[in-house]
Amino acid sequence: MSQWTAFEVTVADHVAEVTLIGPGKGNAMGPDFWRELPEVFAELDADTEVRAVVLAGRGKHFSFGLDLSAMAGELGPVLAGDALAKTRTEFHRMVLRMQGATTAVARSRTPVVAVIQGWCIGGGVDLIAAADIRYASADATFSVREAKVGMVADMGSLQRLPAIIGDAHTRELAFTAKDIDADAALRINLVNDVLPDADAALATARATAAQIAANPPLVVQGVKDVLDWPLTGTVDDGLRYVAAWNAAFLPSKDIGEAISAIFEKRPPSFTGE
């Protein structure tokens, strides 16, 4: 396998393990993550010996989501508030490229089993929504956090979660941007099961991946293709729409206030401007 900056990848007994390793705190998703994720899955898809993938995060947390500090260079120009057509067009292209990273997980040739411990925020939820199966440790906490930072989630949560947890639960999470614990995630079917700790969750994911890998690989791929087919067009249309929406409307006083409040560790005060 290739060497990566944001991931560690191993393959054994027909199962690949893809582990988020940062380099941002809490496996936050910076430029390396968004560039490498589709490359990792393209390489795994090309390896016919791989029949299932386990997706995990190193350390106490799955992911803090988008690394605002690391992404400042890409986000800064459009967030300045006076972005014209060229800047907005470049931002739109960047969003489409980033969406392609989570879509690479959803389009994986083989089933993807995600393991979540600690925080799973924003982009972390986008990522696990692209997986086929999800296991959580008892300490896992989930948040579709984007509304609190002044933006519409645009990496796949709004498009994929309704098929997983239903429209009403998706709206509640996205409108409120609240945190939910592992038990609540299980009640709404965001995760398949909750295990006592991260080690148990990972062991369960590995066992499930091994069961998948023991089945005829072309049949498993066929099942995945058939299950994914009804959603593909709807998800793709939704991703294109939100990319265009954010390119047009993301710059605002409220997003600047949200980001300032995060770094100043204070509650934000939104004005709707």
Side-chain angles (χ1 to χ4, degrees):
M1 297 297 296
S2 300
Q3 296 298 308
W4 311 99
T5 301
F7 300 92
E8 182 179 274
V9 182
T10 60
V11 179
D13 300 324
H14 300 296
V15 175
E17 288 198 15
V18 178
T19 305
L20 283 65
I21 60 173
K25 182 179 179 182
N27 302 319
M29 300 167 169
D32 291 326
F33 172 90
W34 298 108
R35 182 183 67 257
E36 291 180 353
L37 182 61
E39 296 173 359
V40 167
F41 274 82
E43 190 166 313
L44 293 176
D45 275 358
D47 185 348
T48 56
E49 290 299 305
V50 174
R51 300 182 181 181
V53 178
V54 173
L55 179 63
R58 176 178 293 176
K60 294 181 179 179
H61 305 285
F62 180 75
S63 180
F64 287 170
L66 186 68
D67 190 335
L68 290 172
S69 297
M71 296 295 292
E74 287 83 352
L75 296 174
V78 76
L79 297 182
D82 56 355
L84 297 179
K86 183 175 184 293
T87 300
R88 291 174 189 264
T89 299
E90 290 171 349
F91 175 78
H92 182 246
R93 289 172 180 161
M94 182 191 74
V95 171
L96 292 176
R97 286 195 301 272
M98 292 169 67
Q99 288 176 343
T102 50
T103 296
V105 178
R107 300 275 174 85
S108 170
R109 174 179 55 82
T110 60
V112 178
V113 185
V115 186
I116 306 100
Q117 78 281 0
W119 283 105
C120 181
I121 303 172
V125 178
D126 291 314
L127 182 56
I128 66 165
D132 298 280
I133 299 169
R134 290 158 290 277
Y135 295 115
S137 63
D139 70 342
T141 304
F142 304 82
S143 180
V144 182
R145 185 67 63 86
E146 284 83 353
K148 282 189 176 179
V149 293
M151 63 179 69
V152 176
D154 57 5
M155 292 295 124
S157 287
L158 300 185
Q159 290 72 36
R160 296 188 175 99
L161 283 181
I164 300 168
I165 63 174
D167 183 75
H169 289 306
T170 301
R171 289 173 185 266
E172 181 179 6
L173 294 181
F175 290 156
T176 65
K178 68 180 181 179
D179 305 335
I180 62 169
D181 62 18
D183 288 339
L186 182 61
R187 286 196 300 272
I188 65 173
N189 294 322
L190 179 57
V191 297
N192 293 67
D193 202 358
V194 175
L195 289 306
D197 54 38
D199 288 341
L202 181 57
T204 301
R206 286 171 171 167
T208 297
Q211 287 180 306
I212 293 169
N215 288 329
L218 295 179
V219 172
V220 172
Q221 293 167 34
V223 171
K224 181 172 166 59
D225 284 345
V226 171
L227 289 172
D228 287 347
W229 181 82
L231 302 175
T232 300
T234 300
V235 169
D236 288 350
D237 288 347
L239 288 172
R240 285 192 294 270
Y241 182 82
V242 73
W245 199 97
N246 269 349
F249 297 109
L250 185 64
S252 67
K253 291 183 180 179
D254 279 347
I255 194 170
E257 166 63 11
I259 293 172
S260 296
I262 290 170
F263 287 109
E264 295 169 10
K265 298 182 178 180
R266 61 172 175 82
S269 177
F270 297 126
T271 62
E273 298 179 79

